[in-house]
Amino acid sequence: MSTIASTTLAEVASEWCTEAEIQVQSSAVAGGRNITRSVLFIGNPSTVTEVTHWAAVRHWTVEQGLKPVRELQSDVLFAIVTEAVADGSCASADAAVVQRVRARGLDCIPVYDIEPWGTARLSGAPPPTSAP
């Protein structure tokens, strides 16, 4: 896999996810319900393939009514981690967050182990509403 040479793809993926989050949050507020269940994303994707998959998984979580977050909160159901976090070659701050997540008994799922449109490994997530 090639390393990302510029932040253009990462910026586009981040923008795409942010727009989806705003749309879901706006419809949730209009519908009178609050988004309270979160999915923690740990690490920073470092390849084009990982950035693309990471963005798709974040988008999928939003479509399921879950809130992607970067800080460990009380309402986190599970964590999605980058390849570097999964294999332990990550920053010490990310490793510490993984330890706290696991201490709560929550799963840390590598981003490549899931499909953005749903999977049984995402315990606690509502069933998928549609397939691609």
Side-chain angles (χ1 to χ4, degrees):
M1 291 182 215
S2 63
T3 302
I4 298 173
S6 69
T7 59
T8 306
L9 181 60
E11 289 170 355
V12 169
S14 176
E15 192 174 301
W16 176 51
C17 290
T18 302
E19 287 175 15
E21 290 164 21
I22 290 168
Q23 289 171 3
V24 169
Q25 290 170 359
S26 296
S27 65
V29 171
R33 57 171 233 240
N34 293 323
I35 298 176
T36 58
R37 299 185 311 163
S38 301
V39 176
L40 179 61
F41 284 76
I42 305 171
N44 294 308
S46 61
T47 66
V48 172
T49 303
E50 192 173 36
V51 167
T52 303
H53 203 78
W54 185 262
V57 172
R58 282 179 50 97
H59 184 76
W60 179 86
T61 61
V62 170
E63 287 178 338
Q64 302 310 304
L66 302 170
K67 180 180 178 183
V69 296
R70 298 290 279 177
E71 300 288 327
L72 183 57
Q73 302 169 357
S74 62
D75 64 346
V76 167
L77 297 171
F78 52 89
I80 305 295
V81 300
T82 62
E83 188 173 23
V85 173
D87 69 19
S89 61
C90 60
S92 59
D94 289 338
V97 174
V98 168
Q99 287 180 342
R100 291 186 1 235
V101 168
R102 289 187 174 144
R104 287 188 183 184
L106 302 174
D107 289 330
C108 289
I109 305 167
V111 71
Y112 289 126
D113 283 1
I114 62 174
E115 293 297 329
W117 43 88
T119 178
R121 284 208 54 196
L122 298 178
S123 58
T129 56
S130 65

